[in-house]
Amino acid sequence: MKEIPVSRLLSTITARRLLNAGRALAGFLTSAATKRTFVWGRPFIMTVEPTNLCNLKCPLCVTGNGKMTRRAGKMTLATFKQAIDSAGDFLFYLLLYQQGEPFLNDDVLEFVRYAKRKRIFVTTSSNGHYFGEETAKGTVASGLDSLIISVDGATQTGYETYRVGGELSKVKNGIRNLVAEKKRQGSKTPFIYLQFITMRHNEGELKAMREMAARLGVDKLLVKSVQVETAEEAERWLPENESLRRYWLKDGNLRPKRAGKGPCPRPWTSTLVNWNGEVVPCCFDKNASHPTGNLTKSEALTTVWKSKDYAEFRNQMLANRDAIDICSNCSQGLRLYR
């Protein structure tokens, strides 16, 4: 919860949303206890992908390393409105990011404004390369609640080791623009979080990152553990400091320190809409291998939520979570931030 300003999230509470969240959680708990699927509520958390395009080539990201098998593109405002109109009265929390750089979609701030008119908490995450003065002004004025900016190095050399193609000076200038604009507009939002992913090449820069965060005037530094998929990636990228790792690595075997056990609540409480309207169960389905419907095919999100494909995924979750490919590297329950 370190990346969520709780007071802002609490301001989104309505009786309808509370009742729906209770129904959704009750449906999950009953399903988990009986091993039969009951869906009594609607999603109260939603992730929307503005685009899966990116300006960087980060080697552990499926967009940056070329492992993205989905077609590339940008979400239209019409598709976004369809998602929000269908679910917005029940949503507490909207994440405007998945794969890709959200600010490559020219409509992303209109997405924020539209969601804020429905009193939804809205957050997004960026690599920070697009915050010129005008975009910074619009971002603050949009009502965005929080913004995570990924900065994985205190020097250009350390930064570009992972953020391939990135310019640290440009990112820092963008952060300064945002901080200055918040002061000019007299706004507490967006809460600006500097995110530092600890890896083998940069784990010694934590002190320098804390100093950078203080100089830039951001609200908080988030120190995050790196996600890898293979033992080979682990050998290259996992920090030497064991306390900074989210995995055990021994004799070439890689496993999360705290693998999820039992059914996951996400298919009962949250959902994700990719840029093209395709709906999938969660953010670990990066290539949409478990599609449950598509909003661009005249399907309402509420219809997709009760679809046969979604039901089959929930049934599989109840029967054998370990058999679901996207669950094998799930971070649910892990302490991702220090």
Side-chain angles (χ1 to χ4, degrees):
M1 295 288 285
K2 287 188 175 183
E3 76 279 20
I4 303 174
V6 177
S7 61
R8 294 287 295 184
L9 186 60
L10 291 176
S11 70
T12 67
I13 291 176
T14 65
R16 175 178 285 187
R17 288 172 179 167
L18 274 178
L19 178 60
N20 173 69
R23 288 172 58 85
L25 288 168
F28 164 68
L29 292 172
T30 304
S31 299
T34 64
K35 301 302 180 183
R36 296 174 55 203
T37 299
F38 297 92
V39 182
W40 293 333
R42 301 184 187 183
F44 54 87
I45 300 170
M46 184 163 69
T47 299
V48 169
E49 179 184 71
T51 181
N52 61 350
L53 296 163
C54 192
N55 55 308
L56 303 184
K57 299 291 183 183
C58 304
L60 295 178
C61 170
V62 298
T63 299
N65 62 21
K67 294 181 180 178
M68 174 67 70
T69 58
R70 292 189 283 125
R71 185 166 57 93
K74 302 176 184 179
M75 178 174 282
T76 66
L77 183 57
T79 300
F80 179 79
K81 286 182 175 181
Q82 184 178 355
I84 296 300
D85 289 347
S86 184
D89 289 343
F90 303 94
L91 292 180
F92 287 98
Y93 191 46
L94 174 66
L95 298 92
L96 272 179
Y97 62 95
Q98 166 63 342
Q99 300 305 124
E101 166 54 45
F103 283 82
L104 283 174
N105 188 321
D106 293 338
D107 288 325
V108 69
L109 292 180
E110 183 54 36
F111 291 2
V112 176
R113 289 187 287 267
Y114 193 80
K116 290 307 299 177
R117 287 197 285 271
K118 293 184 179 290
R119 219 174 97 189
I120 301 168
F121 181 100
V122 184
T123 187
T124 191
S125 179
S126 172
N127 61 46
H129 281 78
Y130 295 96
F131 294 108
E133 291 182 1
E134 285 303 309
T135 302
K137 179 180 179 180
T139 299
V140 174
S142 71
L144 181 69
D145 292 286
S146 66
L147 170 62
I148 298 171
I149 300 180
S150 298
V151 184
D152 306 316
T155 64
Q156 176 62 27
T157 299
Y159 174 77
E160 66 182 352
T161 299
Y162 184 71
R163 299 286 166 180
V164 178
E167 297 178 41
L168 181 59
S169 60
K170 188 172 184 178
V171 175
K172 291 196 290 186
N173 283 336
I175 294 171
R176 293 187 189 102
N177 288 339
L178 287 162
V179 172
E181 195 58 40
K182 282 176 64 176
K183 291 179 180 178
R184 192 186 73 79
Q185 295 187 31
S187 177
K188 293 182 179 180
T189 57
F191 286 81
I192 301 172
Y193 299 129
L194 204 65
Q195 178 178 274
F196 177 63
I197 301 177
T198 53
M199 293 171 272
R200 184 160 301 191
H201 68 279
N202 69 6
E203 61 185 309
E205 298 183 7
L206 184 53
K207 180 181 177 181
M209 288 300 302
R210 295 193 190 281
E211 293 170 350
M212 179 194 294
R215 287 196 304 271
L216 290 172
V218 301
D219 293 284
K220 187 181 289 185
L221 175 69
L222 300 174
V223 181
K224 187 177 184 180
S225 58
V226 68
Q227 177 185 324
V228 296
E229 299 284 347
T230 65
E232 290 74 22
E233 290 178 346
E235 292 288 354
R236 178 179 178 186
W237 297 103
L238 288 189
E240 296 285 355
N241 186 339
E242 189 67 44
S243 69
L244 298 176
R245 296 182 174 193
R246 70 169 78 169
Y247 304 93
W248 299 114
L249 178 65
K250 185 176 181 180
D251 300 327
N253 295 314
L254 179 73
R255 61 183 177 87
K257 287 183 176 180
R258 188 176 173 184
K261 296 181 184 294
C264 173
R266 291 183 183 180
W268 283 262
T269 61
S270 66
T271 195
L272 189 152
V273 184
N274 285 323
W275 72 266
N276 62 348
E278 191 169 41
V279 181
V280 296
C282 82
C283 61
F284 278 86
D285 194 0
K286 300 180 188 301
N287 274 311
S289 57
H290 299 275
T292 60
N294 195 308
L295 303 188
T296 63
K297 296 180 179 179
S298 300
E299 293 180 295
L301 184 59
T302 49
T303 302
V304 174
W305 188 242
K306 296 289 187 74
S307 69
K308 178 182 177 182
D309 289 331
Y310 232 131
E312 288 179 353
F313 185 84
R314 294 186 185 104
N315 290 338
Q316 188 177 8
M317 175 65 68
L318 294 172
N320 186 4
R321 175 178 177 166
D322 293 341
I324 303 176
D325 54 351
I326 62 173
C327 296
S328 63
N329 199 22
C330 179
S331 58
Q332 182 199 1
L334 283 172
R335 185 186 177 197
L336 301 184
Y337 294 107
R338 296 183 69 228

